[in-house]
Amino acid sequence: MAAGFDQHQAACHGDPMFRLLRPLLFLLDAERAHRLTLAAVGMGMGKTARPDDPMLSTTVAGLTFPNPVGIAAGFDKNAEVPDDMLRLGFGFAEVGTVTPEPQDGNPRPRIFRLREDEAVINRLGFNNEGLEAVRARLAVRHGLPGQVGVNVGANKDSADRIRDYATGVRGMGRWASYITVNISSPNTPGLRALQDRAELTRLVAAVIAARGPLPLPLFVKVAPDLQPEEVADIAEVITGSGIDALIISNTTLSRDGLTSRNADEAGGLSGKPLLERSTAMLRDFRRATGGKLPLIGVGGISSGADAYAKIRAGASLVQLYTGLVYKGPGLINDIKRDLVRLLRRDGFRRVSEAVGVDS
């Protein structure tokens, strides 16, 4: 995980390798810790998850997921370990963000742990190896079970960012279970302008044309910092457009209530402080779309209760990342176990029955 595992709070999932890595990772800078974590996961660190309770199985955008809990984009930018993340118990994995051309991203240091707040600030800037490298890795795993989505973005120096997104859809479409169009990162200057009504209309038309006849679900990922009129505009453009789901949300620029010494670093904030803001945005989009469009809830999930709150607010699926930094890989199965308990407590037979009941 980009900031490593907290040596006091992480659950080690019974694996001695986690016990060894936990203190080491937090002694390292966050980006080096991330590389070590990816390497360890790729070597099989962690136990293989048990089969999921059938009540967690769900279908969204024509895709079947064994459980609704996914690893968010940002962890595995270059599609190095998607199947390893599925093995650990995630119901789906999203790789990327992938841009048409490789790019280094912003200068280091660019990831900051906020331990007191159980949060992370990053200003990575879509650092990745580019479309061709990621496509080659996904081509090798093609035909294997499990849903692996690809999050696509635009190069920082692109003269035509909408064309970049269309290139990503065309280039990755054959190898992805779904594609997420990421227009909400705060770390590429001007990118969030693509959420404006006119630009979003052009973008949606371009990526749908790029998809062509492929049976490929397209998702759009939006920011948690939108104003009510922006929510209304996005909902109107997306609903009925051919886009299959909205992911809500990306990292936030807000710094409300933070206590950590790194709180003033520039970049997008993720983790526990984002939970309330992102869940409120989820409820806003549930209302704005009238429940006609699947929503995927992201931001601040560090327990089964957090995931359940997002589902009840309107999320058909959820994703997490920063929670793993502070709770470790045991969090995955903890969330699934608690989801089953909460669903049964409230009389639901399957997770889909709970979607949006509080909205």
Side-chain angles (χ1 to χ4, degrees):
M1 293 56 188
F5 293 112
D6 186 297
Q7 57 187 323
H8 300 297
Q9 298 180 20
C12 66
H13 206 59
D15 191 319
M17 190 178 292
F18 280 125
R19 293 194 191 99
L20 291 171
L21 281 177
R22 235 172 15 192
L24 172 62
L25 289 172
F26 257 66
L27 289 173
L28 299 174
D29 74 87
E31 200 151 355
R32 289 185 66 195
H34 175 55
R35 289 304 316 167
L36 276 178
T37 301
L38 278 174
V41 170
M43 291 188 296
M45 182 179 66
K47 292 182 178 178
T48 299
R50 296 175 180 176
D52 291 316
D53 190 302
M55 73 189 308
L56 293 179
S57 178
T58 192
T59 300
V60 177
L63 303 175
T64 299
F65 301 83
N67 72 72
V69 184
I71 179 69
F75 174 76
D76 186 10
K77 286 178 172 289
N78 296 305
E80 297 173 81
V81 294
D83 292 293
D84 298 285
M85 300 310 287
L86 298 177
R87 176 183 57 80
L88 288 175
F90 282 107
F92 61 109
E94 186 169 313
V95 304
T97 298
V98 182
T99 55
E101 300 299 326
Q103 62 181 25
D104 293 331
N106 294 320
R108 301 186 187 192
R110 52 194 182 179
I111 307 175
F112 305 89
R113 305 179 183 98
L114 284 68
R115 294 181 64 169
E116 295 84 355
D117 299 301
E118 294 190 32
V120 168
I121 290 173
N122 92 80
R123 51 173 180 261
L124 288 163
F126 288 171
N127 57 308
N128 74 105
E129 295 175 6
L131 188 150
E132 291 301 329
V134 174
R135 179 165 57 187
R137 290 194 182 101
L138 291 180
V140 170
R141 78 161 303 275
H142 189 59
L144 294 178
Q147 307 295 1
V148 175
V150 179
N151 185 298
V152 299
N155 283 110
K156 182 178 181 178
D157 59 357
S158 174
D160 187 342
R161 287 179 171 171
I162 289 179
R163 183 177 61 193
D164 278 13
Y165 285 101
T167 297
V169 172
R170 279 193 299 268
M172 302 305 306
R174 183 180 171 190
W175 314 112
S177 300
Y178 67 87
I179 286 185
T180 295
V181 177
N182 182 358
I183 54 173
S184 49
S185 170
N187 299 319
T188 298
L191 189 77
R192 286 187 170 187
L194 290 171
Q195 297 174 126
D196 296 344
R197 186 185 184 98
E199 288 295 283
L200 182 60
T201 301
R202 291 180 55 232
L203 174 69
V204 167
V207 296
I208 288 174
R211 173 175 61 184
L214 279 177
L216 174 72
L218 291 177
F219 304 163
V220 172
K221 188 169 187 174
V222 299
D225 306 318
L226 299 166
Q227 297 301 309
E229 60 273 18
E230 294 173 309
V231 171
D233 283 348
I234 290 170
E236 188 172 341
V237 171
I238 295 294
T239 304
S241 68
I243 296 296
D244 299 279
L246 279 171
I247 299 182
I248 302 159
S249 62
N250 213 313
T251 56
T252 180
L253 293 172
S254 171
R255 298 294 187 265
D256 293 346
L258 299 180
T259 62
S260 301
R261 64 182 178 89
N262 287 325
D264 293 331
E265 291 289 348
L269 174 75
S270 61
K272 186 172 285 189
L274 182 54
L275 177 65
E276 185 176 342
R277 175 183 290 265
S278 60
T279 306
M281 188 62 59
L282 183 64
R283 287 192 293 268
D284 290 345
F285 271 102
R286 174 77 174 186
R287 287 190 291 267
T289 60
K292 298 176 183 178
L293 189 71
L295 306 177
I296 299 165
V298 194
I301 295 174
S302 61
S303 70
D306 295 340
Y308 190 50
K310 287 193 183 289
I311 290 166
R312 292 182 64 103
S316 296
L317 301 169
V318 298
Q319 293 177 316
L320 63 135
Y321 176 5
T322 303
L324 297 178
V325 172
Y326 293 98
K327 298 293 180 67
L331 178 62
I332 309 164
N333 287 324
D334 288 347
I335 287 175
K336 294 189 295 183
R337 182 192 61 239
D338 288 347
L339 277 178
V340 169
R341 177 180 59 81
L342 292 166
L343 289 165
R344 286 177 175 158
R345 181 198 69 184
D346 293 343
F348 298 116
R349 294 168 297 174
R350 56 184 57 252
V351 67
S352 58
E353 294 178 358
V355 173
V357 295
D358 289 344
S359 298

